[in-house]
């Protein structure tokens, strides 16, 4: 059902609840009327929350998290819940910092990043192991949504294979990837699996974190070592610019892909296809222990 239908239905329920509440206040000794007022008020609140979740889902602001397993029978220990959800929330915030500024946070994510994401525990479905989390998908001054960029890259990493894994890790940053690994360890320790779903601007994204899938992603994350980083200047002709934060530069050595942070989107937008560009980038050299080769990833620092 659409949020418009639900919103109208919520208004109707609230109107009935207000009317019954008014009658109940005038008849304090009528037990059945008091009970009806209480039940109608609860139904109106429930529908109002359902409307809020439906609107958040339509705006790409709702993340549906389901914890699954023998211990996830509608109630799990608070410590187990915090050990799983806590690192996941940290991973999102650190990834958002990396995406906005092009570098890992020195400590925690910047206050403006946390404020822009505005993550909230929006509700629990029947049983405390089905959690709804909302955020803020509104675009910033660059026209990009930090929340959507963060979730896009998170789902990309979770569903990545070996060939694109290092690019996915480089997008969210090493600190975010580490916290994602802690999240996986928390799931293992609690004996839980997990399912994520999110209605993005490009369609429904999901990740089914069954035990074998958790093991696969953990194994990939465990191969990641701190990359060697250095600054270099690259020159060439602009071959392409995408709205996913990628710039392609054609150099004498071949085409090079460079990721740019959201904060300098305006600088990148001034570049023109086929025009000459001189870019200062931070290059990260990863060692792929599976393929036994170096993997180079570049982040744009500035356009000269």
């Amino acid at each position: 059902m659409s949020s418009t239908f639900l919103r109208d239905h919520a208004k109707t329920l609230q109107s009935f609840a207000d009317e019954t509440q008014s009658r109940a206040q005038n008849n304090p000794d009528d037990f059945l009327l008091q009970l009806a007022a209480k039940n109608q008020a609860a139904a109106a609140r429930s529908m109002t929350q359902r409307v809020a979740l439906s609107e958040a889902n339509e705006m790409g602001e709702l993340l549906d998290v389901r914890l699954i397993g023998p211990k996830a029978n509608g109630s799990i220990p608070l410590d187990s819940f915090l050990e799983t959800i806590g690192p996941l929330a940290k991973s999102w915030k650190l990834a958002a910092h990396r995406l906005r500024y092009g570098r890992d946070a020195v400590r925690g994510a910047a206050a403006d990043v946390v404020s822009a994401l505005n993550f909230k525990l929006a509700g629990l479905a029947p049983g405390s192991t089905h959690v709804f989390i909302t955020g803020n998908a509104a675009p910033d001054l660059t026209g990009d949504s930090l929340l959507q960029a963060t979730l896009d890259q998170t789902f990309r990493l979770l569903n990545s294979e070996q060939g694109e894994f290092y690019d996915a890790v480089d997008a969210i940053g090493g600190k975010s990837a580490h916290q994602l690994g802690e999240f996986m360890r928390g799931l293992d320790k609690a004996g839980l699996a997990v399912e994520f779903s999110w209605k993005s601007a490009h369609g429904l994204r999901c990740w089914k974190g069954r035990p074998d899938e958790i093991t696969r992603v953990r194994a990939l994350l465990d191969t990641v070592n701190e990359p060697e980083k250095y600054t270099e200047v690259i020159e060439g002709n602009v071959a392409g610019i995408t709205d996913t934060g990628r710039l392609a530069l054609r150099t004498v050595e071949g085409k090079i892909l460079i990721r740019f942070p959201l904060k300098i989107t305006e600088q990148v937008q001034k570049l023109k296809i086929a025009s000459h560009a001189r870019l200062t980038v931070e290059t990260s050299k990863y060692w792929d222990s599976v393929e036994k080769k170096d993997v180079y990833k570049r982040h744009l620092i500035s356009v000269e």
Side-chain angles (χ1 to χ4, degrees):
M1 287 181 282
S2 70
S3 58
T4 301
F5 173 84
L6 294 175
R7 193 184 308 113
D8 290 342
H9 188 45
K11 289 179 180 178
T12 300
L13 290 179
Q14 188 62 57
S15 177
F16 288 153
D18 291 343
E19 181 182 343
T20 304
Q21 181 62 33
S22 178
R23 290 168 51 206
Q25 288 175 345
N26 294 327
N27 298 274
D29 296 328
D30 189 330
F31 172 76
L32 292 179
L33 190 57
Q34 302 298 322
L35 182 61
K38 181 179 179 181
N39 289 340
Q40 287 183 12
R45 286 194 301 272
S46 177
M47 183 55 65
T48 298
Q49 182 188 43
R50 188 175 172 187
V51 170
L53 293 175
S54 177
E55 290 177 341
N57 186 46
E58 290 179 0
M59 295 173 64
E61 296 182 336
L62 179 68
L63 188 68
D64 187 321
V65 181
R66 298 170 186 261
L67 298 174
I68 305 164
K71 295 183 180 180
N73 56 1
S75 179
I76 60 174
L78 179 60
D79 287 347
S80 296
F81 181 79
L82 294 177
E83 285 180 5
T84 53
I85 298 299
L88 180 62
K90 289 180 182 177
S91 177
W92 286 332
K93 293 172 185 177
L94 291 167
H97 185 103
R98 169 81 164 180
L99 288 165
R100 171 166 282 185
Y101 291 106
R103 61 181 184 275
D104 281 341
V106 176
R107 294 185 178 85
D112 66 306
V113 169
V114 176
S115 177
L117 292 174
N118 195 27
F119 281 126
K120 293 180 180 178
L121 181 61
L124 302 174
S128 63
T129 53
H130 185 186
V131 182
F132 296 114
I133 298 172
T134 61
N136 172 31
D140 59 20
L141 294 177
T142 68
D144 296 299
S145 166
L146 188 58
L147 172 71
Q148 294 192 7
T150 299
L151 294 181
D152 264 332
Q153 294 298 340
T154 300
F155 276 92
R156 178 169 170 255
L157 187 148
L158 290 172
N159 289 298
S160 66
E161 300 295 337
Q162 182 69 34
E164 62 174 350
F165 175 73
Y166 281 94
D167 188 66
V169 167
D170 192 65
I172 67 170
K175 289 189 174 182
S176 175
H178 173 73
Q179 288 298 326
L180 200 57
E182 291 298 308
F183 166 66
M184 302 291 174
R185 277 183 276 277
L187 290 173
D188 266 352
K189 183 177 179 181
L192 297 170
V194 68
E195 284 187 6
F196 293 143
S197 61
W198 169 54
K199 185 180 179 182
S200 76
H202 305 292
L204 183 65
R205 300 287 182 87
C206 62
W207 183 65
K208 295 185 177 181
R210 297 292 193 265
D212 58 338
E213 181 66 4
I214 291 172
T215 299
R216 183 189 72 84
V217 176
R218 276 191 65 184
L220 286 172
L221 289 170
D222 287 343
T223 66
V224 178
N225 295 313
E226 186 66 24
E228 177 187 344
K229 296 183 179 181
Y230 52 91
T231 301
E232 62 179 331
V233 175
I234 300 177
E235 293 189 59
N237 294 327
V238 178
I241 303 172
T242 71
D243 60 2
T244 56
R246 286 297 191 86
L247 167 67
L249 199 68
R250 197 173 299 282
T251 71
V252 293
E253 289 84 14
K255 190 163 75 171
I256 294 176
L257 295 177
I258 302 167
R259 190 180 303 281
F260 57 88
L262 298 177
K263 191 174 183 181
I264 60 174
T265 298
E266 189 174 347
Q267 289 186 43
V268 175
Q269 289 174 337
K270 294 178 181 178
L271 297 173
K272 297 180 179 180
I273 301 299
S275 65
H276 185 78
R278 179 180 169 89
L279 310 175
T280 301
V281 304
E282 179 185 71
T283 299
S284 297
K285 184 172 76 171
Y286 295 88
W287 172 247
D288 186 338
S289 59
V290 176
E291 299 293 331
K292 307 298 182 185
K293 64 179 183 179
D294 290 324
V295 178
Y296 295 88
K297 299 297 173 184
R298 296 174 174 87
H299 265 72
L300 180 63
I301 296 175
S302 64
V303 179
E304 297 186 12

